[in-house]
Amino acid sequence: MKEALKEAHKATKKNEVPVGAIVVKEGKIIGRGHNLRESLNDPTAHAEIIAIKRAARKLKNWRLNGCALYVTVEPCIMCAGAILLARLEKVVYGAKDPKSGAVSSLYEVLADQRLNHRVKEIIGGILEEECTTILREFFKSLRD
């Protein structure tokens, strides 16, 4: 999660909402990403999407079997869909997102029994304080 937080700090420096993500396979980081929606004028440029794309490119396979995603904030519906489509096996997140979280806050997309694929392991609240603080400070600076 500390590596995902490093990505979130990169986003802050670019005036992006500070969310960072990494994809890990067999203990090695194979994909990194941070929010780039403002920089790219792309509504899909979420940290998770970027990290997943980079991991798939590295593996030369869209199926990320045996991989885990670490992200500083609970994924949204779009990112939860990408997680399922990529066949990620584990998702670890820091801060909950009560306004758009699709893992446990508003929805439980990753565990929906009606879907073809489900994430085997979901862990929330890892380094939650640090993940929440970076968001809080970013939005406070926008208001100030």
Side-chain angles (χ1 to χ4, degrees):
M1 188 59 77
K2 289 186 181 199
E3 291 298 316
L5 274 165
K6 286 180 185 177
E7 290 296 318
H9 284 288
K10 290 179 187 177
T12 300
K13 291 177 184 171
K14 296 176 182 176
N15 235 9
E16 297 277 356
V17 174
V19 178
I22 60 167
V23 176
V24 175
K25 183 169 180 124
E26 297 171 355
K28 294 184 180 172
I29 297 171
I30 60 168
R32 294 176 172 273
H34 54 273
N35 274 2
L36 289 171
R37 292 189 314 167
E38 301 297 332
S39 301
L40 299 177
N41 291 312
D42 181 351
T44 68
H46 287 206
E48 300 96 321
I49 301 294
I50 293 166
I52 288 168
K53 283 181 176 183
R54 289 178 177 165
R57 239 181 272 131
K58 178 147 183 113
L59 294 180
K60 295 183 171 87
N61 194 336
W62 63 267
R63 291 176 191 88
L64 300 180
N65 296 324
C67 295
L69 174 76
Y70 291 78
V71 59
T72 57
V73 179
E74 179 183 359
C76 68
I77 294 171
M78 175 184 69
C79 293
I83 288 164
L84 292 173
L85 291 171
R87 307 295 194 257
L88 284 156
E89 292 184 11
K90 179 178 180 179
V91 172
V92 180
Y93 67 90
K96 283 193 173 235
D97 185 348
K99 294 185 179 180
S100 63
V103 176
S104 64
S105 294
L106 289 181
Y107 305 100
E108 294 182 0
V109 174
L110 302 183
D112 193 317
Q113 297 294 315
R114 298 169 293 179
L115 298 172
N116 174 25
H117 176 75
R118 281 169 297 289
V119 173
K120 291 179 183 172
E121 186 176 7
I122 301 165
I123 303 169
I126 303 300
L127 297 181
E128 185 172 11
E129 188 175 323
E130 293 94 323
C131 294
T132 301
T133 298
I134 190 172
L135 284 167
R136 189 180 302 123
E137 289 174 356
F138 174 79
F139 287 113
K140 183 181 182 304
S141 73
L142 289 182
R143 288 189 300 273
D144 292 345

